[in-house]
């Protein structure tokens, strides 16, 4: 029995299939979202809408609450306060298969207990569609995802034998194969070299351009500026700013959030927003 078939028996069931949201309409919505652990609020009072056909980058320093936010949006962790709806379903009460047909999640780290091949891992993304008419599209979806992630030459490799970057790309291919209208990506470029960072973000951008709603947690502000329609800045568990890259990426805001001298300027040829630490020669950033 294949990994996809086994998972499909657990998740597949007859149900009305979701319709992809129209471009520009809200595909995911959160209101008053918060998470408290012990006496500490890791995330508090977050309102967020994610539209079909857009790519939203969530940025902020370590500990700002980025991964916590993504986990709550995905329904992988129950919120202390607030609600999240994806494709009209409340994530707190939705059946796992119904939720998986609407949103796909790329965690920071994927842990597999068995030595599945890359082909098996990517096929797992099709499990939510087992027993539905969409199951007929499995092979095409898997092939397309492998190509988009640059993993066609790795199909027979065992997942544990891959490098960290190769594992990240295989996991991204699984997310693409899932065919959900909402993609939630947690630091998708962290383990990748420069070439594959650009490839992955171009693919995420293509997904948004084709009508999917994409949220990507990113540390690289330059990647966020280059590929996102909007950027949301988290700081100390709160959403402090959101808007187009040229509006949000300002030196005063970034210096306050990152506690580091920041330089923001426009590329002299393309006019693109450029951002990075303010340095003097080869030394450390100006204090």
């Amino acid at each position: 029995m294949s990994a996809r078939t086994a998972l499909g028996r657990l998740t597949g069931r007859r149900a009305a299939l979701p319709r992809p949201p129209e471009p520009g309409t809200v595909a995911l919505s959160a209101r008053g979202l918060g998470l408290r652990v012990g006496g500490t609020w890791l995330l508090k009072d977050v309102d967020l809408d994610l539209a079909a056909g857009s790519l939203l980058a969530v940025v902020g320093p370590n500990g700002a609450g980025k991964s916590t936010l993504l986990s709550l949006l995905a329904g992988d962790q129950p919120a202390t306060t607030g609600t999240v709806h994806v494709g009209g379903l409340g994530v707190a009460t939705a059946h796992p298969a119904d939720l998986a047909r609407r949103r796909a999640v790329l965690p920071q780290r994927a842990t597999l207990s068995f030595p599945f091949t890359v082909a098996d891992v990517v096929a797992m993304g099709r499990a939510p569609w087992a027993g539905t008419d969409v199951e007929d599209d499995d092979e095409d979806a898997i092939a397309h995802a492998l190509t988009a992630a640059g993993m066609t030459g790795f199909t027979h490799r065992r997942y544990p034998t891959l490098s960290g970057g190769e594992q990240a790309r295989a996991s991204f291919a699984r997310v693409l194969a899932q065919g959900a209208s909402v993609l939630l990506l947690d630091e998708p470029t962290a383990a990748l070299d420069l070439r594959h960072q650009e490839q992955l973000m171009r693919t995420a951008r293509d997904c948004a351009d084709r009508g999917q709603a994409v949220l990507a947690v990113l540390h690289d502000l330059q990647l966020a500026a280059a590929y996102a329609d909007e950027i949301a800045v988290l700081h100390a568990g709160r959403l402090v700013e959101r808007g187009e890259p040229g509006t949000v990426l300002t030196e005063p805001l970034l210096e306050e959030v990152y506690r580091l001298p920041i330089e923001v300027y426009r590329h002299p040829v393309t006019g693109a927003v450029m951002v990075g630490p303010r340095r003097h020669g080869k030394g450390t950033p100006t204090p």
Side-chain angles (χ1 to χ4, degrees):
M1 182 186 300
S2 71
R4 180 180 64 197
T5 301
L7 284 173
R9 290 184 177 181
L10 294 175
T11 61
R13 66 192 186 102
R14 289 291 176 183
L17 298 182
R19 293 182 178 181
E22 292 293 326
T25 61
V26 175
L28 179 150
S29 178
R31 292 293 179 269
L33 201 58
L35 179 68
R36 182 173 60 192
V37 177
T40 302
W41 285 95
L42 302 183
L43 198 76
K44 193 171 184 181
D45 298 332
V46 171
D47 294 336
L48 184 144
D49 288 333
L50 180 63
S54 69
L55 195 162
L56 173 67
V58 177
V59 305
N62 292 336
K66 303 183 298 298
S67 293
T68 297
L69 172 62
L70 188 141
S71 180
L72 297 182
L73 294 177
D76 290 339
Q77 186 172 9
T80 305
T81 61
T83 59
V84 179
H85 288 81
V86 178
L89 292 182
V91 301
T93 57
H95 188 280
D98 290 332
L99 191 56
R101 291 169 187 150
R102 289 163 172 81
R103 64 95 182 97
V105 184
L106 179 66
Q108 283 189 40
R109 302 172 189 85
T111 302
L112 294 177
S113 301
F114 298 96
F116 293 115
T117 66
V118 168
D120 286 334
V121 170
V122 178
M124 290 176 187
R126 300 302 299 170
W129 306 103
T132 74
D133 293 340
V134 181
E135 186 176 26
D136 295 339
D137 300 331
D138 282 2
E139 298 307 321
D140 286 344
I142 291 167
H144 174 77
L146 286 165
T147 299
M151 294 299 288
T152 53
F154 294 79
T155 54
H156 299 297
R157 286 278 302 274
R158 298 288 176 179
Y159 187 85
T161 70
L162 302 176
S163 69
E166 291 164 350
Q167 289 181 353
R169 288 157 53 203
S171 296
F172 182 55
R174 173 190 58 77
V175 167
L176 296 176
Q178 193 167 329
S181 296
V182 176
L183 305 184
L184 303 175
L185 314 176
D186 194 358
E187 298 189 29
T189 62
L192 303 182
D193 59 30
L194 185 61
R195 173 194 168 200
H196 289 108
Q197 287 179 15
E198 291 293 323
Q199 181 186 56
L200 186 145
M201 290 305 300
R202 282 198 302 269
T203 301
R205 178 70 259 170
D206 289 343
C207 289
D209 291 341
R210 288 194 299 268
Q212 291 172 286
V214 183
L215 183 149
V217 170
L218 296 172
H219 274 299
D220 190 321
L221 297 178
Q222 196 58 62
L223 281 176
Y227 288 101
D229 296 295
E230 290 189 309
I231 295 175
V233 182
L234 282 181
H235 180 48
R238 293 181 181 271
L239 181 59
V240 297
E241 191 62 80
R242 176 178 175 171
E244 295 180 356
T247 301
V248 170
L249 297 178
T250 66
E251 292 176 1
L253 175 63
L254 296 178
E255 289 180 349
E256 178 182 356
V257 168
Y258 287 95
R259 302 176 62 186
L260 180 77
I262 299 290
E263 184 175 22
V264 180
Y265 60 97
R266 295 281 181 171
H267 192 281
V269 176
T270 66
V273 177
M274 309 296 293
V275 56
R278 187 183 299 276
R279 299 186 179 96
H280 282 286
K282 297 182 180 179
T284 57
T286 306

